[in-house]
Amino acid sequence: MPFEVAAALHFTDQAHFHPGRYLAGIAEAFVHEGGNIIEGVRAREVSEESHHCTVGTAAGELTAAHVVVATHYPFLDRGGQFSRMTARRSYGIAAVLPGGSNAGMAINAGSPTRSTRTAMLNGEELLIVVGEGHGVGHVSETGQRWARLQQWTQERYNVTDFRYHWSAEETSTLDHVPFVGFAAPGSNRLLLATGFDGWGMTNGTAAAMLMRDLILEQDNSWAATFARRAETSLPGKEFVKHNLHIGKMWLKDRVGGPPKGSSEELEPGDAAVLKVDGEQTAAYRDENGALHAVSAVCTHMGCTVGWNDGEKSWDCPCHGSRFNPDGDVLHGPATAPLPKQGLG
Ligand code: FES
């Protein structure tokens, strides 16, 4: 590392992958083997029968002998996985690394978390720094998180040319071991894989190998660790704590009500949850002065969404669904948009 650390563990033979190219290669192999990839169609439900599953989508139904739900947060709640998972957003920046600079692939053990790696893009070496994670919907002022990452990076690396910033959502199980296997007790055609905790390239690949064996009824020694947990897992202390927190979120706005105020008080760029004709309304005035108003009640299980100023979205603190200012779903488990709402 180009700066002092108290101590470090060094892992040899670590590889860098380009996630997009890795995925493109898998997709190409899948199509080559006769698979079809259909994008831009939202799956809304899956019913499982003795000989097949039926998937209900926004564009009609399709059937398959087996269905794998490999979404971030499962949009189905057969095994109650949603009550045993958390959703976090984390932030990334990329800066040009001058030639000859030393930058490792590393993650710290302390807090705040910072992880670094390099990547080549169009002949330039970039330093990528990721961190500043938080529970989805738990903070509004998200825009400043990129600035904090930038400051941390400038203090430690010889970089000034910051090119990119972004954020991403990660889902974890309460004990940080993914759920991979049949979706619920009695399922033998519907599988899910989720809770990769930010390690999706390795966990996703391992999950695919395990699910292949489950579908083909082949032995796999990983099944004992992963598969049963997807179906059932006894509530522990973390489970109780997590769901008490979600219960409190759900109750908060019903008991106390959303903050008072009116849409006229919103300046361009401002957003607030308002009470309009007794309805919780998520209102945002865009930079051109136009108002966007939708229901503030998440269509997944009814928690109240909160504003994310860095990404201009309404985020749900309960299970991580996200919606754009016009209510369209950006991220599940919600599958239905927030209904448009009048402002009285
Ligand atoms: S994501 Fe579950 S209630 Fe919003």
Side-chain angles (χ1 to χ4, degrees):
M1 305 299 293
F3 51 87
E4 286 284 304
V5 295
L9 271 177
H10 179 225
F11 294 89
T12 52
D13 297 331
Q14 295 291 293
H16 279 187
F17 284 82
H18 185 303
R21 286 187 203 144
Y22 181 68
L23 184 61
I26 291 174
E28 200 182 309
F30 179 69
V31 171
H32 187 257
E33 292 295 319
N36 279 315
I37 297 176
I38 299 165
E39 297 177 89
V41 178
R42 189 175 292 283
R44 297 226 161 98
E45 58 189 31
V46 184
S47 61
E48 183 177 357
E49 282 137 56
S50 50
H51 297 295
H52 66 274
C53 293
T54 304
V55 184
T57 79
E61 288 189 346
L62 55 91
T63 57
H66 292 90
V67 169
V68 174
V69 174
T71 52
H72 254 182
Y73 216 110
F75 66 96
L76 303 171
D77 59 4
R78 298 292 155 70
Q81 288 87 9
F82 69 89
S83 64
R84 294 181 278 136
M85 294 179 64
T86 59
R88 289 176 68 74
R89 288 199 80 67
S90 65
Y91 296 76
I93 56 171
V96 177
L97 197 59
S101 300
N102 179 22
M105 179 169 70
I107 184 165
N108 66 341
S111 181
T113 300
R114 299 285 183 256
S115 79
T116 65
R117 61 163 285 182
T118 56
M120 290 301 291
L121 186 70
N122 303 329
E124 284 183 312
E125 188 168 28
L126 299 176
L127 170 66
I128 295 173
V129 180
V130 173
E132 290 292 323
H134 61 80
V136 176
H138 290 214
V139 294
S140 284
E141 295 81 23
T142 59
Q144 57 189 242
R145 294 186 177 242
W146 289 298
R148 289 210 284 268
L149 281 180
Q150 187 166 326
Q151 186 186 348
W152 182 90
T153 306
Q154 271 171 323
E155 286 167 2
R156 288 163 181 80
Y157 294 84
N158 178 27
V159 294
T160 51
D161 186 0
F162 288 87
R163 292 281 175 88
Y164 305 101
H165 69 276
W166 66 93
S167 71
E169 194 151 327
E170 306 167 351
T171 54
S172 309
T173 65
L174 296 181
D175 63 4
H176 302 280
V177 179
F179 294 138
V180 183
F182 292 109
S187 275
N188 54 16
R189 297 197 168 273
L190 176 59
L191 300 95
L192 64 83
T194 186
F196 295 160
D197 213 1
W199 304 93
M201 289 180 62
T202 46
N203 277 328
T205 305
M209 293 160 76
L210 172 55
M211 288 189 293
R212 172 203 61 200
D213 290 342
L214 291 174
I215 290 170
L216 296 177
E217 299 180 16
Q218 296 175 164
D219 286 342
N220 185 313
S221 58
W222 302 340
T225 305
F226 294 99
R228 283 293 303 168
R229 302 176 64 263
E231 299 173 37
T232 53
S233 148
L234 288 178
K237 206 167 85 189
E238 280 303 307
F239 173 89
V240 173
K241 211 167 81 189
H242 174 62
N243 286 289
L244 269 179
H245 170 73
I246 288 181
K248 271 194 218 154
M249 297 267 186
W250 194 88
L251 268 179
K252 193 177 72 169
D253 293 302
R254 282 157 187 79
V255 177
K260 307 275 179 291
S262 80
S263 56
E264 275 96 68
E265 292 163 35
L266 297 176
E267 299 288 336
D270 285 353
V273 174
L274 307 169
K275 199 155 204 165
V276 178
D277 297 335
E279 303 287 336
Q280 295 189 77
T281 302
Y284 166 59
R285 190 179 295 281
D286 67 26
E287 302 299 338
N288 299 320
L291 265 174
H292 304 253
V294 292
S295 166
V297 179
C298 178
T299 53
H300 177 231
M301 293 182 76
C303 290
T304 303
V305 295
W307 184 240
N308 170 343
D309 74 352
E311 297 176 276
K312 307 281 181 264
S313 61
W314 293 106
D315 296 0
C316 182
C318 287
H319 314 105
S321 291
R322 298 179 59 237
F323 306 86
N324 74 12
D326 292 318
D328 299 328
V329 177
L330 297 172
H331 197 287
T335 60
L338 299 173
K340 300 259 189 302
Q341 206 128 294
L343 281 171

